[in-house]
Every structure is written in C-alpha cells, then in structure tokens.
Amino acid sequence: MADELLLTVNGDSRRVPAGSSVADLVAAIGLDPKKVAVERNGEIAPRSTLGDVTLTDGDVLEIVHFVGGG
C-alpha cells in the first residue's frame, strides 16, 4: 500500500496520506467540515459521512465552502 494518494482537488493535484478520509482532507485544507459541500468523483458526499468516506488514489474532488455575510 502506498504511503500517499494523489488526488485532484478543485482542479489542482494534491497528495494526502493513505487512509485519509474526506473530513481529514477538508481539515488539512483549513476548512470547517460543517461548512463545506463536497463532490467526490461526480457524486455529492453527504456531510454526515465525510469522516467515514476513505479517499482512494485518483479521486477527483470539488470542495465548496460557505461563508456568512450580509
């Protein structure tokens, strides 16, 4: 098993440790998992499952974060 995975996140290549979850990735980027929407390989990943979804080599993710304001 490789030590790192190569992902595409919002169009950019990114390496993460093998065994990382989507929630781990979101936290590593510095975002609050409660304030993001994640699409993984063309499918929306429900926020309640982000900690349970293990990333695999070659995954393509789009991450959108919400900001407050008025």
Side-chain angles (χ1 to χ4, degrees):
M1 181 185 213
D3 293 337
E4 288 186 322
L5 305 174
L6 180 59
L7 312 173
T8 302
V9 180
N10 294 348
D12 295 322
S13 294
R14 183 177 188 99
R15 292 190 181 278
V16 299
S20 294
S21 69
V22 174
D24 295 332
L25 172 64
V26 170
I29 292 171
L31 300 174
D32 182 349
K34 296 176 196 164
K35 297 180 181 177
V36 297
V38 179
E39 180 185 275
R40 177 177 173 244
N41 301 326
E43 294 186 19
I44 299 296
R47 195 172 300 125
S48 63
T49 67
L50 296 183
D52 300 326
V53 178
T54 303
L55 296 166
T56 58
D57 199 50
D59 278 347
V60 177
L61 298 106
E62 293 293 327
I63 301 174
V64 178
H65 69 283
F66 303 102
V67 293

